[in-house]
Amino acid sequence: MDGDFGAGTASAVRSFQSSRGLTADGQVGTNTKRALYDTDESPSTGLDLRSSSCPENIVEGQSGGCVATLQSLLNGKGHSLDVDASFGPQTLAAVKAFQSASGLTADGAVGPNTKAALYANIGGGGGNGAPAPVDLNSASCPNEIVQGQRSGCVTELQSLLNHHGADLAVDGDFGALTDSAVRDFQAEKGLSADGRVGSNTKAALYGTVTPPSSPPPGGGYAKILDVAEAEAGTVEGSARANSYGSAVGLSLSTSNYAWCATFVSWVAKQTGASSYRNSYVSGWVKQARAGNYHLSVTTSPQPGDIVAYDWDGGSDFTGGNEHIGIVRTVSGSSFTAVEGNTTNPNGTNDGVYIKSRTTASTYDVVFIRVR
């Protein structure tokens, strides 16, 4: 990056505008600026490398939030990487240097041992990381972990909550978002939703992740489309739209982040169709491909299925340019979907709208069955 808007940059701008259905004039005006900032995913450093949200081995060539977290952790160990969520040569060199300094095999692959070393003593080694995780059942943790505490016990709690579908920053600080995630988890497990992490909640957190055997009042998967359709026309930034964040423990205005997956999480929560919640499209695709949380991939879409889009193609859902919605109608290769964080067909504010899509296009589509 040289700060010079030359021919190459102008060409990239026009290509981006064309991919978004904008006038490809190379001029970065209001609509182009909004499109640049409104991709449906952005790298997050809130992911815990040890959670199921990240690959067992993170290696060169990968990209996304797990790589962004890795880069942040390496910077906390004395390196000076750009946190760009792309595992390139500089990140590889930093990983190998860290492994060598830690007495590990310097192979550049960030597996369990390297992850453990990255998180070891992170609270006292400089940088802005969380306290090292502590088993919730150990004598080092209080009988009840509650809002306001900051410790390695909270680090462990946040990591476990993320494993069960939350999307928390793992910072070791038990704040309002962690409290909300605890209460949501307790409610899903049939526990008293008091936000206090006692023996029963700890046991559930360490237990196997199992979706409810039957959906709570709301109708389950059969009601997904009904609930989603009822929200059509909700405008981004409105109190109604902002309330969707409660499903994933966020209190942000929908004007300030990409909330398409938050909307799907909210619908799932209203119906009880799945216990999974995630504000990232990649999480939904990953869990469906793994067959977790009553989710699976299908090639025969029907109304009420979830549909994920990879605008960049490749179906890897790691490029930070994804989207997700709920299938409404299907006709051959064409379908319609109810989508949050999508453009208003009338050209005004974004919101929840019904969009016409197709499987016969440059973007890739994955359909997710909820059962």
Side-chain angles (χ1 to χ4, degrees), residues 9-355:
T9 302
S11 177
V13 168
R14 285 192 291 269
S15 177
F16 175 81
Q17 289 169 325
S18 179
S19 71
R20 294 296 182 277
L22 303 171
T23 301
D25 58 4
Q27 303 292 314
V28 184
T30 301
N31 291 336
T32 301
K33 289 176 184 176
R34 179 171 181 80
L36 283 164
Y37 281 104
D38 203 27
T39 53
D40 289 279
E41 293 294 316
S42 58
S44 167
T45 57
L47 292 170
D48 189 315
L49 302 186
R50 301 158 298 180
S51 75
S52 60
S53 298
C54 292
E56 181 177 0
N57 289 291
I58 304 170
V59 298
E60 186 177 15
Q62 294 177 354
S63 61
C66 298
V67 177
T69 298
L70 168 63
Q71 292 167 326
S72 293
L73 289 168
L74 287 167
N75 287 346
K77 300 293 184 180
H79 295 273
S80 300
L81 297 168
D82 289 334
V83 182
D84 59 5
S86 179
F87 196 135
Q90 291 183 332
T91 301
L92 177 65
V95 168
K96 289 183 175 180
F98 171 76
Q99 290 172 322
S100 180
S102 301
L104 302 171
T105 301
D107 57 6
V110 183
N113 291 336
T114 302
K115 292 176 184 178
L118 282 165
Y119 281 98
N121 301 316
I122 194 169
N128 298 314
V134 177
D135 190 300
L136 302 186
N137 293 311
S138 74
S140 299
C141 292
N143 290 334
E144 285 194 335
I145 304 168
V146 297
Q147 187 171 359
Q149 295 177 2
R150 175 176 167 79
S151 67
C153 304
V154 180
T155 302
E156 175 80 349
L157 168 63
Q158 292 167 326
S159 180
L160 289 167
L161 288 167
N162 285 348
H163 179 70
H164 286 266
D167 187 24
L168 297 167
V170 181
D171 58 6
D173 190 357
F174 197 133
L177 295 181
T178 301
D179 179 72
S180 177
V182 168
R183 292 173 189 270
D184 284 347
F185 173 78
Q186 290 171 323
E188 289 170 8
K189 296 302 178 182
L191 303 171
S192 176
D194 56 8
R196 307 180 72 84
V197 184
S199 57
N200 289 338
T201 302
K202 292 175 184 179
L205 283 163
Y206 282 111
T208 304
V209 180
T210 53
S213 57
S214 60
Y221 69 84
K223 291 294 185 181
I224 286 179
L225 180 56
D226 290 344
V227 171
E229 274 191 312
E231 299 301 305
T234 302
V235 177
E236 179 177 287
S238 66
R240 180 65 173 179
N242 294 345
S243 71
Y244 301 148
S246 63
V248 293
L250 288 176
S251 57
L252 289 173
S253 167
T254 45
S255 298
N256 295 330
Y257 76 107
W259 51 278
C260 58
T262 295
F263 174 66
V264 171
S265 296
W266 181 85
V267 172
K269 184 175 182 178
Q270 300 309 301
T271 59
S274 170
S275 63
Y276 189 63
R277 316 276 186 265
N278 204 312
S279 61
Y280 285 82
V281 177
S282 56
W284 283 93
V285 174
K286 180 177 180 178
Q287 298 300 340
R289 285 173 169 168
N292 296 331
Y293 300 100
H294 286 183
L295 305 174
S296 62
V297 173
T298 180
T299 56
S300 302
Q302 64 184 32
D305 285 341
I306 295 169
V307 55
Y309 311 91
D310 188 341
W311 299 133
D312 296 329
S315 289
D316 55 5
F317 292 87
T318 60
N321 194 18
E322 293 85 40
H323 190 50
I324 196 167
I326 295 168
V327 177
R328 180 172 176 265
T329 61
V330 180
S331 178
S333 62
S334 299
F335 62 96
T336 62
V338 184
E339 301 169 6
N341 193 44
T342 196
T343 54
N344 185 335
N346 295 325
T348 53
N349 291 346
D350 288 3
V352 180
Y353 297 109
I354 296 169
K355 305 303 284 286

